[in-house]
Amino acid sequence: MSKLFLFAAPSGAGKTTIVRHLLNHYEDLSFSISATTRPKRPHETDGKDYYFLAPDTFKTLVKNGGFVEWEEVYEGLFYGTLKREVERLWGEGKHIVFDIDVKGAVNIKQAYPNEAIAIFVKPPSMDALRNRLTARGTEDEANLKKRLDRAEEELSYESRFDIVLVNDNLQEALTAAEQIIEDAIKPA
Ligand code: 5GP
């Protein structure tokens, strides 16, 4: 049976690095490509990092029941998991890895309680988070503030997750993440 690994975290907690590592390490894992209305960043590819959609297209999909879940993650910016994406990966017999916000993870867990494992990637502190986001250099001042405000709220969701993975030392976090995958997919 395919598992759904839901990785959620405040922006800058190192979740994307962990998710990428796992996808490179295990060929039975596939990434659930989300849809978003956020503008594409220069290093990103449409159909690989996200399905970049116009706001009207996103709205139509919402209206037609095309999403398993969707959220306005930042003001005016929508993100969602397409039903057809989950079905596509399920059809390939893969375990699916999601890089998603905390509310989305809680919603997917509700939709697939038997298959989903919700993993909360936690930064060691808010200061560490601020430093990582600043070092990444992808956000301007206003966006940085938006992301930090949201991170504070997201940290309060921790108790609703199956597993908390503290990303203090990246190497240790990667090893712990591998263990989570192996425990979940090893033959009974
Ligand atoms: P970013 O703009 O940095 O790529 O992503 C911003 C946030 O949106 C991250 O926390 C990311 O995990 C979340 N996100 C990405 N895809 C989805 C999705 O399909 N649904 C939800 N609810 N959140 C998502």
Side-chain angles (χ1 to χ4, degrees):
M1 190 57 195
S2 292
K3 297 282 180 200
L4 307 180
F5 295 100
L6 313 172
F7 282 87
S11 183
K15 168 186 55 169
T16 304
T17 309
I18 293 171
V19 164
R20 283 210 194 110
H21 169 82
L22 293 173
L23 290 165
N24 287 332
H25 203 79
Y26 298 100
E27 58 182 20
D28 290 348
L29 296 186
S30 282
F31 180 58
S32 167
I33 303 165
S34 296
T36 184
T37 65
R38 139 162 108 55
K40 191 168 87 59
R41 294 179 186 142
H43 63 279
E44 290 178 323
T45 309
D46 187 25
K48 180 166 167 273
D49 298 287
Y50 283 104
Y51 301 112
F52 293 97
L53 302 182
D56 280 352
T57 312
F58 196 100
K59 272 186 207 142
T60 305
L61 277 163
V62 169
K63 215 167 57 196
N64 296 342
F67 287 103
V68 182
E69 63 76 38
W70 62 273
E71 293 287 334
E72 185 175 4
V73 175
Y74 302 107
E75 207 186 319
L77 296 181
F78 295 83
Y79 296 76
T81 305
L82 291 162
K83 279 186 189 155
R84 66 160 189 262
E85 176 69 3
V86 176
E87 283 158 10
R88 176 178 77 83
L89 297 171
W90 234 316
E92 292 175 4
K94 299 284 192 130
H95 302 292
I96 312 178
V97 174
F98 296 76
D99 178 336
I100 201 171
D101 89 312
V102 290
K103 288 184 191 154
V106 169
N107 287 336
I108 294 192
K109 183 145 176 84
Q110 257 163 22
Y112 304 103
N114 298 323
E115 294 85 9
I117 299 170
I119 303 142
F120 189 87
V121 182
K122 194 178 170 182
S125 67
M126 279 301 288
D127 273 351
L129 196 64
R130 186 188 317 276
N131 291 343
R132 280 184 200 169
L133 276 177
T134 310
R136 189 164 84 180
T138 52
E139 311 308 320
D140 60 27
E141 203 48 49
N143 271 321
L144 190 64
K145 182 166 180 334
K146 260 194 212 173
R147 281 175 188 255
L148 287 171
D149 286 349
R150 188 179 174 84
E152 295 231 40
E153 195 212 323
E154 288 188 319
L155 284 170
S156 68
Y157 279 75
E158 180 182 330
S159 63
R160 300 170 73 169
F161 281 70
D162 299 311
I163 299 173
V164 176
L165 184 62
V166 179
N167 186 9
D168 189 357
N169 171 298
L170 180 62
Q171 200 49 53
E172 284 171 18
L174 295 179
T175 305
E178 288 174 14
Q179 197 61 52
I180 293 167
I181 304 293
E182 286 175 28
D183 287 348
I185 68 178
K186 73 175 171 229

Short mmCIF file of all heavy atoms in Angstrom, two decimals, residues 7-12 15-16 31-36 38-39 41 44 49-50 52 58 67 69-74 77-82 98-105 107-108 133 136 138-139 147 150 154, ligand 1:
data_model
loop_
_atom_site.label_atom_id
_atom_site.label_comp_id
_atom_site.label_asym_id
_atom_site.label_seq_id
_atom_site.Cartn_x
_atom_site.Cartn_y
_atom_site.Cartn_z
N PHE A 7 5.34 16.34 4.66
CA PHE A 7 6.35 17.15 5.33
C PHE A 7 5.86 18.58 5.40
O PHE A 7 5.64 19.23 4.38
CB PHE A 7 7.68 17.10 4.59
CG PHE A 7 8.44 15.82 4.83
CD1 PHE A 7 8.20 14.70 4.05
CD2 PHE A 7 9.35 15.72 5.87
CE1 PHE A 7 8.88 13.51 4.28
CE2 PHE A 7 10.03 14.54 6.11
CZ PHE A 7 9.79 13.43 5.32
N ALA A 8 5.67 19.06 6.63
CA ALA A 8 5.22 20.44 6.81
C ALA A 8 6.14 21.12 7.80
O ALA A 8 6.72 20.48 8.68
CB ALA A 8 3.79 20.47 7.31
N ALA A 9 6.27 22.44 7.65
CA ALA A 9 7.17 23.18 8.52
C ALA A 9 7.02 24.65 8.25
O ALA A 9 6.60 25.04 7.16
CB ALA A 9 8.60 22.79 8.22
N PRO A 10 7.40 25.47 9.20
CA PRO A 10 7.51 26.88 8.89
C PRO A 10 8.53 27.08 7.79
O PRO A 10 9.53 26.34 7.72
CB PRO A 10 8.03 27.49 10.21
CG PRO A 10 7.71 26.49 11.25
CD PRO A 10 7.75 25.15 10.59
N SER A 11 8.28 28.03 6.90
CA SER A 11 9.21 28.34 5.82
C SER A 11 10.59 28.59 6.40
O SER A 11 10.74 29.33 7.38
CB SER A 11 8.69 29.60 5.11
OG SER A 11 9.49 29.90 4.03
N GLY A 12 11.62 27.94 5.84
CA GLY A 12 12.98 28.16 6.32
C GLY A 12 13.44 27.13 7.34
O GLY A 12 14.57 27.18 7.80
N LYS A 15 12.84 22.12 5.40
CA LYS A 15 11.98 21.04 4.92
C LYS A 15 12.30 20.65 3.48
O LYS A 15 12.39 19.46 3.15
CB LYS A 15 10.54 21.53 5.05
CG LYS A 15 9.50 20.71 4.38
CD LYS A 15 8.16 21.41 4.49
CE LYS A 15 8.25 22.84 3.93
NZ LYS A 15 6.94 23.48 3.77
N THR A 16 12.47 21.63 2.61
CA THR A 16 12.68 21.33 1.20
C THR A 16 13.99 20.56 0.99
O THR A 16 14.05 19.64 0.17
CB THR A 16 12.65 22.64 0.38
OG1 THR A 16 11.40 23.28 0.65
CG2 THR A 16 12.75 22.39 -1.11
N PHE A 31 7.46 12.89 -5.76
CA PHE A 31 7.07 14.19 -5.21
C PHE A 31 5.70 14.58 -5.74
O PHE A 31 5.45 14.51 -6.95
CB PHE A 31 8.11 15.23 -5.62
CG PHE A 31 7.85 16.61 -5.12
CD1 PHE A 31 7.74 16.86 -3.76
CD2 PHE A 31 7.73 17.67 -6.02
CE1 PHE A 31 7.51 18.15 -3.30
CE2 PHE A 31 7.51 18.96 -5.56
CZ PHE A 31 7.40 19.20 -4.20
N SER A 32 4.81 14.98 -4.85
CA SER A 32 3.53 15.52 -5.27
C SER A 32 3.72 16.97 -5.69
O SER A 32 4.03 17.84 -4.86
CB SER A 32 2.52 15.43 -4.11
OG SER A 32 1.39 16.22 -4.42
N ILE A 33 3.57 17.22 -6.97
CA ILE A 33 3.76 18.59 -7.49
C ILE A 33 2.47 19.37 -7.22
O ILE A 33 1.40 19.00 -7.70
CB ILE A 33 4.08 18.55 -8.99
CG1 ILE A 33 5.34 17.69 -9.23
CG2 ILE A 33 4.26 19.95 -9.55
CD1 ILE A 33 5.55 17.29 -10.69
N SER A 34 2.60 20.41 -6.42
CA SER A 34 1.44 21.24 -6.07
C SER A 34 1.15 22.25 -7.17
O SER A 34 2.03 22.57 -7.98
CB SER A 34 1.73 22.02 -4.79
OG SER A 34 1.90 21.15 -3.70
N ALA A 35 -0.07 22.76 -7.14
CA ALA A 35 -0.40 23.91 -8.00
C ALA A 35 -0.27 25.17 -7.16
O ALA A 35 -0.51 25.14 -5.95
CB ALA A 35 -1.82 23.76 -8.51
N THR A 36 0.16 26.25 -7.78
CA THR A 36 0.23 27.53 -7.06
C THR A 36 0.00 28.71 -8.00
O THR A 36 0.25 28.60 -9.21
CB THR A 36 1.61 27.71 -6.36
OG1 THR A 36 1.58 28.93 -5.59
CG2 THR A 36 2.75 27.80 -7.34
N ARG A 38 1.58 31.51 -7.07
CA ARG A 38 2.75 32.36 -6.81
C ARG A 38 3.61 32.43 -8.09
O ARG A 38 3.71 31.45 -8.81
CB ARG A 38 3.54 31.78 -5.63
CG ARG A 38 5.02 31.81 -5.80
CD ARG A 38 5.80 31.66 -4.57
NE ARG A 38 6.48 30.39 -4.40
CZ ARG A 38 7.33 29.84 -5.26
NH1 ARG A 38 7.55 30.39 -6.45
NH2 ARG A 38 7.92 28.72 -4.96
N PRO A 39 4.25 33.60 -8.33
CA PRO A 39 5.11 33.70 -9.51
C PRO A 39 6.28 32.71 -9.40
O PRO A 39 6.77 32.44 -8.31
CB PRO A 39 5.63 35.14 -9.48
CG PRO A 39 4.78 35.86 -8.50
CD PRO A 39 4.19 34.86 -7.57
N ARG A 41 9.94 31.31 -9.39
CA ARG A 41 11.28 31.86 -9.11
C ARG A 41 12.21 31.43 -10.25
O ARG A 41 11.95 30.42 -10.91
CB ARG A 41 11.81 31.32 -7.77
CG ARG A 41 11.00 31.80 -6.58
CD ARG A 41 11.53 31.23 -5.26
NE ARG A 41 10.65 31.58 -4.15
CZ ARG A 41 10.36 30.77 -3.13
NH1 ARG A 41 10.88 29.56 -3.07
NH2 ARG A 41 9.56 31.18 -2.17
N GLU A 44 13.19 27.78 -10.87
CA GLU A 44 12.12 26.78 -10.85
C GLU A 44 11.61 26.44 -12.25
O GLU A 44 11.70 27.25 -13.17
CB GLU A 44 10.95 27.31 -10.00
CG GLU A 44 11.29 27.37 -8.52
CD GLU A 44 10.17 27.93 -7.66
OE1 GLU A 44 9.47 28.86 -8.12
OE2 GLU A 44 10.03 27.45 -6.53
N ASP A 49 8.68 21.78 -10.22
CA ASP A 49 8.61 22.31 -8.85
C ASP A 49 7.16 22.55 -8.45
O ASP A 49 6.75 22.26 -7.33
CB ASP A 49 9.41 23.62 -8.77
CG ASP A 49 10.86 23.38 -9.09
OD1 ASP A 49 11.55 22.80 -8.25
OD2 ASP A 49 11.30 23.74 -10.21
N TYR A 50 6.42 23.13 -9.33
CA TYR A 50 4.99 23.42 -9.15
C TYR A 50 4.33 23.40 -10.52
O TYR A 50 5.00 23.53 -11.54
CB TYR A 50 4.79 24.84 -8.58
CG TYR A 50 5.05 25.03 -7.11
CD1 TYR A 50 6.22 25.65 -6.67
CD2 TYR A 50 4.12 24.61 -6.15
CE1 TYR A 50 6.46 25.84 -5.31
CE2 TYR A 50 4.35 24.80 -4.80
CZ TYR A 50 5.52 25.41 -4.39
OH TYR A 50 5.74 25.60 -3.04
N PHE A 52 2.46 26.07 -12.14
CA PHE A 52 2.20 27.50 -11.94
C PHE A 52 0.94 27.87 -12.71
O PHE A 52 0.91 27.75 -13.95
CB PHE A 52 3.41 28.33 -12.39
CG PHE A 52 4.61 28.11 -11.52
CD1 PHE A 52 5.61 27.21 -11.89
CD2 PHE A 52 4.74 28.78 -10.31
CE1 PHE A 52 6.71 26.98 -11.08
CE2 PHE A 52 5.84 28.56 -9.48
CZ PHE A 52 6.83 27.65 -9.87
N PHE A 58 -6.82 28.58 -11.22
CA PHE A 58 -6.84 27.97 -9.89
C PHE A 58 -8.27 27.99 -9.34
O PHE A 58 -8.78 26.98 -8.85
CB PHE A 58 -5.86 28.74 -8.97
CG PHE A 58 -5.50 28.01 -7.70
CD1 PHE A 58 -4.29 27.33 -7.59
CD2 PHE A 58 -6.35 28.01 -6.60
CE1 PHE A 58 -3.94 26.66 -6.42
CE2 PHE A 58 -6.01 27.34 -5.43
CZ PHE A 58 -4.80 26.67 -5.34
N PHE A 67 -9.23 19.87 -6.28
CA PHE A 67 -8.19 19.79 -5.25
C PHE A 67 -8.54 18.84 -4.11
O PHE A 67 -9.70 18.78 -3.68
CB PHE A 67 -7.95 21.18 -4.65
CG PHE A 67 -7.22 22.13 -5.56
CD1 PHE A 67 -7.89 23.13 -6.24
CD2 PHE A 67 -5.84 22.01 -5.75
CE1 PHE A 67 -7.22 24.00 -7.10
CE2 PHE A 67 -5.16 22.87 -6.59
CZ PHE A 67 -5.85 23.88 -7.26
N GLU A 69 -6.90 19.42 -1.30
CA GLU A 69 -6.87 20.52 -0.34
C GLU A 69 -6.25 21.71 -1.03
O GLU A 69 -5.47 21.55 -1.97
CB GLU A 69 -6.08 20.15 0.93
CG GLU A 69 -4.59 19.84 0.73
CD GLU A 69 -3.70 21.06 0.52
OE1 GLU A 69 -3.95 22.09 1.16
OE2 GLU A 69 -2.77 20.99 -0.29
N TRP A 70 -6.58 22.90 -0.57
CA TRP A 70 -5.89 24.11 -1.05
C TRP A 70 -5.91 25.14 0.07
O TRP A 70 -6.77 25.07 0.97
CB TRP A 70 -6.54 24.67 -2.32
CG TRP A 70 -7.96 25.10 -2.15
CD1 TRP A 70 -9.06 24.31 -2.28
CD2 TRP A 70 -8.42 26.41 -1.78
NE1 TRP A 70 -10.19 25.04 -2.01
CE2 TRP A 70 -9.83 26.32 -1.70
CE3 TRP A 70 -7.79 27.62 -1.52
CZ2 TRP A 70 -10.62 27.44 -1.35
CZ3 TRP A 70 -8.57 28.72 -1.19
CH2 TRP A 70 -9.97 28.62 -1.11
N GLU A 71 -4.95 26.05 0.05
CA GLU A 71 -4.86 27.09 1.08
C GLU A 71 -4.36 28.39 0.45
O GLU A 71 -3.58 28.36 -0.50
CB GLU A 71 -3.80 26.72 2.16
CG GLU A 71 -4.13 25.55 3.04
CD GLU A 71 -5.22 25.85 4.05
OE1 GLU A 71 -5.39 27.03 4.45
OE2 GLU A 71 -5.91 24.89 4.42
N GLU A 72 -4.80 29.50 1.04
CA GLU A 72 -4.18 30.79 0.73
C GLU A 72 -3.02 30.90 1.71
O GLU A 72 -3.18 31.40 2.82
CB GLU A 72 -5.19 31.94 0.91
CG GLU A 72 -4.64 33.28 0.48
CD GLU A 72 -5.69 34.39 0.56
OE1 GLU A 72 -6.82 34.12 1.00
OE2 GLU A 72 -5.35 35.53 0.17
N VAL A 73 -1.87 30.35 1.32
CA VAL A 73 -0.75 30.22 2.27
C VAL A 73 -0.21 31.59 2.66
O VAL A 73 0.06 31.85 3.83
CB VAL A 73 0.37 29.32 1.67
CG1 VAL A 73 1.58 29.29 2.60
CG2 VAL A 73 -0.14 27.89 1.47
N TYR A 74 -0.06 32.48 1.70
CA TYR A 74 0.27 33.88 1.97
C TYR A 74 -0.82 34.72 1.32
O TYR A 74 -1.45 34.26 0.36
CB TYR A 74 1.64 34.24 1.40
CG TYR A 74 2.75 33.38 1.94
CD1 TYR A 74 3.35 32.42 1.14
CD2 TYR A 74 3.16 33.50 3.27
CE1 TYR A 74 4.34 31.59 1.65
CE2 TYR A 74 4.13 32.68 3.79
CZ TYR A 74 4.72 31.73 2.98
OH TYR A 74 5.68 30.91 3.48
N LEU A 77 -1.79 34.52 -2.32
CA LEU A 77 -1.05 33.44 -3.00
C LEU A 77 -1.64 32.09 -2.60
O LEU A 77 -1.67 31.74 -1.42
CB LEU A 77 0.43 33.48 -2.63
CG LEU A 77 1.21 34.72 -3.07
CD1 LEU A 77 2.68 34.60 -2.66
CD2 LEU A 77 1.13 34.94 -4.59
N PHE A 78 -2.11 31.36 -3.61
CA PHE A 78 -2.82 30.11 -3.37
C PHE A 78 -1.94 28.91 -3.73
O PHE A 78 -1.19 28.96 -4.71
CB PHE A 78 -4.12 30.08 -4.18
CG PHE A 78 -5.09 31.14 -3.75
CD1 PHE A 78 -4.99 32.44 -4.22
CD2 PHE A 78 -6.09 30.84 -2.83
CE1 PHE A 78 -5.87 33.43 -3.79
CE2 PHE A 78 -6.97 31.81 -2.40
CZ PHE A 78 -6.86 33.11 -2.88
N TYR A 79 -2.08 27.86 -2.93
CA TYR A 79 -1.34 26.62 -3.15
C TYR A 79 -2.31 25.47 -2.93
O TYR A 79 -3.13 25.53 -2.01
CB TYR A 79 -0.21 26.46 -2.12
CG TYR A 79 0.89 27.48 -2.16
CD1 TYR A 79 0.69 28.76 -1.66
CD2 TYR A 79 2.14 27.16 -2.67
CE1 TYR A 79 1.71 29.71 -1.68
CE2 TYR A 79 3.18 28.10 -2.68
CZ TYR A 79 2.95 29.37 -2.19
OH TYR A 79 3.96 30.29 -2.21
N GLY A 80 -2.18 24.40 -3.71
CA GLY A 80 -3.08 23.28 -3.49
C GLY A 80 -2.58 21.98 -4.08
O GLY A 80 -1.75 21.97 -5.00
N THR A 81 -3.11 20.89 -3.54
CA THR A 81 -2.79 19.55 -4.01
C THR A 81 -3.89 19.09 -4.95
O THR A 81 -5.05 18.98 -4.54
CB THR A 81 -2.70 18.58 -2.82
OG1 THR A 81 -1.76 19.09 -1.88
CG2 THR A 81 -2.29 17.19 -3.28
N LEU A 82 -3.54 18.83 -6.20
CA LEU A 82 -4.53 18.43 -7.20
C LEU A 82 -4.87 16.94 -7.04
O LEU A 82 -3.98 16.11 -6.87
CB LEU A 82 -3.97 18.65 -8.61
CG LEU A 82 -3.78 20.10 -9.03
CD1 LEU A 82 -2.84 20.19 -10.23
CD2 LEU A 82 -5.13 20.74 -9.37
N PHE A 98 4.96 14.91 0.17
CA PHE A 98 4.36 16.23 0.03
C PHE A 98 5.20 17.25 0.78
O PHE A 98 5.61 17.02 1.91
CB PHE A 98 2.96 16.25 0.65
CG PHE A 98 1.97 15.34 -0.02
CD1 PHE A 98 2.01 13.97 0.21
CD2 PHE A 98 0.98 15.84 -0.85
CE1 PHE A 98 1.09 13.12 -0.38
CE2 PHE A 98 0.06 15.01 -1.46
CZ PHE A 98 0.11 13.64 -1.23
N ASP A 99 5.42 18.39 0.14
CA ASP A 99 6.05 19.55 0.79
C ASP A 99 4.93 20.58 0.86
O ASP A 99 4.56 21.18 -0.15
CB ASP A 99 7.22 20.02 -0.09
CG ASP A 99 7.91 21.25 0.46
OD1 ASP A 99 7.30 22.01 1.23
OD2 ASP A 99 9.08 21.46 0.10
N ILE A 100 4.38 20.77 2.05
CA ILE A 100 3.08 21.40 2.13
C ILE A 100 2.99 22.24 3.41
O ILE A 100 3.81 22.06 4.31
CB ILE A 100 2.04 20.25 2.09
CG1 ILE A 100 0.69 20.71 1.66
CG2 ILE A 100 2.02 19.48 3.37
CD1 ILE A 100 -0.22 19.51 1.42
N ASP A 101 2.04 23.15 3.49
CA ASP A 101 1.95 23.93 4.73
C ASP A 101 1.21 23.12 5.81
O ASP A 101 0.62 22.08 5.51
CB ASP A 101 1.29 25.30 4.48
CG ASP A 101 -0.21 25.26 4.62
OD1 ASP A 101 -0.82 24.34 4.05
OD2 ASP A 101 -0.78 26.12 5.31
N VAL A 102 1.28 23.58 7.05
CA VAL A 102 0.77 22.76 8.16
C VAL A 102 -0.72 22.46 8.05
O VAL A 102 -1.15 21.33 8.32
CB VAL A 102 1.08 23.39 9.54
CG1 VAL A 102 2.56 23.32 9.86
CG2 VAL A 102 0.55 24.78 9.67
N LYS A 103 -1.50 23.43 7.61
CA LYS A 103 -2.95 23.19 7.50
C LYS A 103 -3.24 22.17 6.41
O LYS A 103 -4.10 21.31 6.56
CB LYS A 103 -3.69 24.49 7.19
CG LYS A 103 -3.72 25.43 8.37
CD LYS A 103 -4.54 26.67 8.05
CE LYS A 103 -4.34 27.70 9.13
NZ LYS A 103 -4.57 29.05 8.65
N GLY A 104 -2.53 22.29 5.30
CA GLY A 104 -2.69 21.33 4.20
C GLY A 104 -2.37 19.92 4.67
O GLY A 104 -3.07 18.96 4.32
N ALA A 105 -1.32 19.79 5.46
CA ALA A 105 -0.93 18.47 5.96
C ALA A 105 -2.04 17.89 6.84
O ALA A 105 -2.41 16.72 6.70
CB ALA A 105 0.38 18.56 6.74
N ASN A 107 -5.16 18.56 6.71
CA ASN A 107 -6.31 18.22 5.84
C ASN A 107 -6.08 16.93 5.06
O ASN A 107 -6.99 16.12 4.91
CB ASN A 107 -6.61 19.36 4.86
CG ASN A 107 -7.25 20.53 5.57
OD1 ASN A 107 -7.87 20.36 6.63
ND2 ASN A 107 -7.08 21.72 5.04
N ILE A 108 -4.88 16.74 4.55
CA ILE A 108 -4.61 15.50 3.80
C ILE A 108 -4.64 14.31 4.74
O ILE A 108 -5.14 13.24 4.40
CB ILE A 108 -3.27 15.58 3.05
CG1 ILE A 108 -3.37 16.66 1.96
CG2 ILE A 108 -2.93 14.24 2.41
CD1 ILE A 108 -2.25 16.66 0.98
N LEU A 133 16.26 32.24 6.57
CA LEU A 133 15.48 32.91 5.52
C LEU A 133 16.25 34.08 4.94
O LEU A 133 16.21 34.34 3.74
CB LEU A 133 14.15 33.40 6.09
CG LEU A 133 13.03 32.37 6.12
CD1 LEU A 133 11.79 32.95 6.77
CD2 LEU A 133 12.69 31.88 4.72
N ARG A 136 19.00 32.77 2.66
CA ARG A 136 18.50 32.23 1.40
C ARG A 136 18.36 33.33 0.35
O ARG A 136 18.54 33.09 -0.85
CB ARG A 136 17.14 31.56 1.67
CG ARG A 136 16.62 30.78 0.51
CD ARG A 136 15.52 29.85 0.93
NE ARG A 136 14.24 30.54 0.97
CZ ARG A 136 13.09 29.97 1.31
NH1 ARG A 136 13.06 28.71 1.68
NH2 ARG A 136 11.98 30.65 1.33
N THR A 138 15.91 34.85 -0.99
CA THR A 138 14.88 34.82 -2.03
C THR A 138 13.73 35.77 -1.71
O THR A 138 12.87 35.99 -2.56
CB THR A 138 14.29 33.40 -2.22
OG1 THR A 138 13.88 32.88 -0.95
CG2 THR A 138 15.30 32.46 -2.85
N GLU A 139 13.70 36.31 -0.51
CA GLU A 139 12.54 37.13 -0.10
C GLU A 139 12.95 38.58 0.11
O GLU A 139 14.02 38.86 0.66
CB GLU A 139 11.96 36.61 1.23
CG GLU A 139 11.71 35.12 1.29
CD GLU A 139 10.89 34.60 0.12
OE1 GLU A 139 9.94 35.29 -0.29
OE2 GLU A 139 11.22 33.52 -0.39
N ARG A 147 6.55 35.75 6.11
CA ARG A 147 6.93 34.36 6.36
C ARG A 147 7.23 34.13 7.84
O ARG A 147 6.90 33.08 8.39
CB ARG A 147 8.12 33.97 5.48
CG ARG A 147 7.67 33.65 4.07
CD ARG A 147 8.76 33.37 3.08
NE ARG A 147 8.16 33.29 1.76
CZ ARG A 147 7.95 32.16 1.07
NH1 ARG A 147 8.31 31.01 1.57
NH2 ARG A 147 7.36 32.19 -0.11
N ARG A 150 3.95 34.09 9.80
CA ARG A 150 3.27 32.83 9.56
C ARG A 150 3.94 31.67 10.31
O ARG A 150 3.27 30.79 10.85
CB ARG A 150 3.25 32.53 8.06
CG ARG A 150 2.40 31.35 7.77
CD ARG A 150 2.34 31.05 6.31
NE ARG A 150 1.61 29.81 6.13
CZ ARG A 150 0.29 29.74 6.07
NH1 ARG A 150 -0.44 30.82 6.14
NH2 ARG A 150 -0.30 28.57 5.94
N GLU A 154 2.41 28.75 12.60
CA GLU A 154 2.56 27.35 12.20
C GLU A 154 3.16 26.49 13.31
O GLU A 154 2.84 25.32 13.43
CB GLU A 154 3.43 27.26 10.94
CG GLU A 154 2.69 27.77 9.72
CD GLU A 154 3.44 27.51 8.43
OE1 GLU A 154 4.67 27.68 8.41
OE2 GLU A 154 2.79 27.15 7.45
P1 5GP B 1 7.08 28.39 -1.38
O1 5GP B 1 6.41 29.62 -1.91
O2 5GP B 1 8.24 28.71 -0.49
O3 5GP B 1 7.43 27.40 -2.48
O4 5GP B 1 6.01 27.61 -0.49
C1 5GP B 1 5.33 28.29 0.51
C2 5GP B 1 4.59 27.32 1.38
O5 5GP B 1 3.49 26.70 0.68
C3 5GP B 1 5.45 26.16 1.90
O6 5GP B 1 5.18 25.98 3.28
C4 5GP B 1 4.95 25.02 1.10
O7 5GP B 1 5.17 23.79 1.78
C5 5GP B 1 3.47 25.34 0.99
N1 5GP B 1 2.81 24.56 -0.04
C6 5GP B 1 3.35 24.11 -1.20
N2 5GP B 1 2.47 23.38 -1.88
C7 5GP B 1 1.35 23.33 -1.14
C8 5GP B 1 0.07 22.70 -1.33
O8 5GP B 1 -0.19 22.00 -2.30
N3 5GP B 1 -0.86 22.89 -0.36
C9 5GP B 1 -0.60 23.62 0.74
N4 5GP B 1 -1.58 23.71 1.64
N5 5GP B 1 0.58 24.22 0.95
C10 5GP B 1 1.55 24.09 0.02
#
